[in-house]
Amino acid sequence: MNDYVPRAREPHDALWVIQRDLANIIAKYTDRGDHETAAVYKEALARYNGD
């Protein structure tokens, strides 16, 4: 017998998802010490934040 119960998914704000993902990418490259690549993603994040 299958116990799967479908659940409604909360809608995601696309802008929030992009900002979250870019912040995670920046953190990953910063932790690796690759500040040049992190700077490129910081510029992209600034565009989405309206800075």
Side-chain angles (χ1 to χ4, degrees), residues 8-34:
R9 297 183 78 184
E10 292 183 27
H12 289 287
D13 177 23
L15 180 60
W16 177 82
V17 171
I18 291 169
Q19 291 170 333
R20 179 202 62 194
D21 290 348
L22 285 173
N24 288 337
I25 291 169
I26 291 165
K28 178 180 73 171
Y29 282 112
T30 301
D31 289 345
R32 289 182 182 176
D34 188 353

Side-chain angles (χ1 to χ4, degrees), residues 37-49:
T37 304
V40 172
Y41 284 103
K42 285 180 184 178
E43 289 176 17
L45 182 59
R47 278 187 246 140
Y48 283 104
N49 287 337

